[in-house]
């Protein structure tokens, strides 16, 4: 009973964090601040939802697969975000500080 | 329980897709598609539990890998104009 309640909380919290990330990607004015929003919530949403599913699966092959997905997402998602921000900076996209006028208000 | 999680993920997919269409710079689009990919992985995982077949988790696993490879490939394409495979040809 506890496991069901805990996994229910994890799943709903993961969903909410995902929605927050999606709203964050719209609200932030500049690409780099958007990267801040998506980077953190992307990984946190994956953690919470996969934790909720793992609790539901109990000790089984499915739980092992979920742990693998968890591992890969934890390793690749921040790396992809870093590579993206690096490519953006390399590509000449200036971050919008208050002094330099960034790209237009989206 | 799974229905609420999948509905939340579908909402984030819609918002992220809107950002991908609206995004001013190409990097916004790549970031949106990257986030779209990880959310699809989670959607497949939740749906595999919703429908009871645990075998779909393999698809989510493969999708997570391919999504990362895809994002890095597009980044290389955007950063260097071509896929910059080995570099000897255009060095001469």
């Amino acid at each position: 009973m506890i496991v069901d309640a805990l996994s229910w909380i994890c799943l709903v919290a993961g969903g909410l964090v995902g929605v927050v990330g999606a709203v964050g990607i719209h609200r932030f004015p500049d690409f780099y601040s958007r990267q801040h929003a998506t980077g953190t919530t992307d990984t946190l949403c994956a953690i919470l939802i996969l934790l909720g599913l793992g609790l539901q699966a109990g000790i089984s092959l499915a739980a092992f697969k979920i742990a693998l997905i968890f591992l890969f997402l934890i390793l690749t998602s921040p790396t992809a975000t870093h590579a993206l921000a690096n490519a953006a900076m390399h590509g000449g996209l200036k971050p919008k500080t208050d002094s330099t006028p960034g790209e237009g208000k989206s | 329980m799974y229905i609420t999680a999948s509905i939340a993920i579908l909402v984030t997919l819609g918002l992220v897709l809107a950002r991908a269409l609206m995004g001013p710079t190409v990097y916004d689009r790549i970031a949106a598609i990257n986030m779209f990919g990880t959310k699809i992985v989670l959607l497949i995982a939740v749906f595999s539990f919703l429908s009871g077949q645990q075998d779909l988790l393999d698809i989510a696993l493969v999708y997570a890998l391919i999504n990362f490879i895809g994002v890095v490939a597009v980044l290389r394409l955007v950063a260097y104009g071509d896929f910059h495979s080995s570099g000897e040809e255009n060095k001469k």
Side-chain angles (χ1 to χ4, degrees):
Chain A
M1 183 43 206
I2 305 291
V3 172
D4 289 344
L6 202 58
S7 65
W8 191 81
I9 291 170
C10 279
L11 275 168
V12 170
L16 286 181
V17 166
V19 171
V20 163
V23 168
I25 202 172
H26 276 284
R27 290 285 298 164
F28 282 93
D30 166 62
F31 164 72
Y32 291 102
S33 44
R34 257 178 236 130
Q35 274 306 97
H36 167 67
T38 55
T40 49
T41 51
D42 213 11
T43 320
L44 184 58
C45 176
I47 292 173
L48 283 175
I49 287 188
L50 290 177
L51 193 63
L53 292 180
L55 287 176
Q56 273 299 328
I59 311 297
S60 69
L61 179 62
F64 176 67
K65 286 179 188 170
I66 286 177
L68 270 182
I69 297 177
F70 180 91
L71 188 70
F72 285 142
L73 275 185
I74 291 291
L75 289 180
T76 53
S77 179
T79 319
T81 313
H82 165 71
L84 184 59
N86 195 8
M89 186 58 89
H90 175 72
L93 185 66
K94 289 290 171 289
K96 180 183 165 189
T97 55
D98 45 13
S99 56
T100 59
E103 13 96 349
K105 185 94 191 59
S106 58
Chain B
M1 175 166 65
Y2 298 127
I3 306 275
T4 49
S6 48
I7 286 174
I9 293 179
L10 285 174
V11 166
T12 56
L13 285 180
L15 284 169
V16 162
L17 209 56
R19 167 52 59 191
L21 294 175
M22 230 170 38
T25 63
V26 69
Y27 300 109
D28 287 311
R29 293 196 170 89
I30 300 175
I33 295 305
N34 176 27
M35 193 171 170
F36 191 87
T38 47
K39 289 301 179 281
I40 290 281
V41 167
L42 297 177
L43 191 67
I44 295 174
V46 167
F47 183 74
S48 75
F49 273 77
L50 189 65
S51 62
Q53 287 119 354
Q54 311 292 2
D55 313 334
L56 291 177
L57 288 174
D58 306 343
I59 299 176
L61 196 63
V62 170
Y63 199 96
L65 296 173
I66 300 297
N67 177 46
F68 175 63
I69 305 293
V71 166
V72 170
V74 169
L75 275 183
R76 187 175 283 269
L77 178 70
V78 167
Y80 299 114
D82 63 352
F83 275 105
H84 205 65
S85 48
S86 52
E88 281 86 15
E89 303 89 26
N90 45 36
K91 283 287 186 310
K92 281 190 287 298

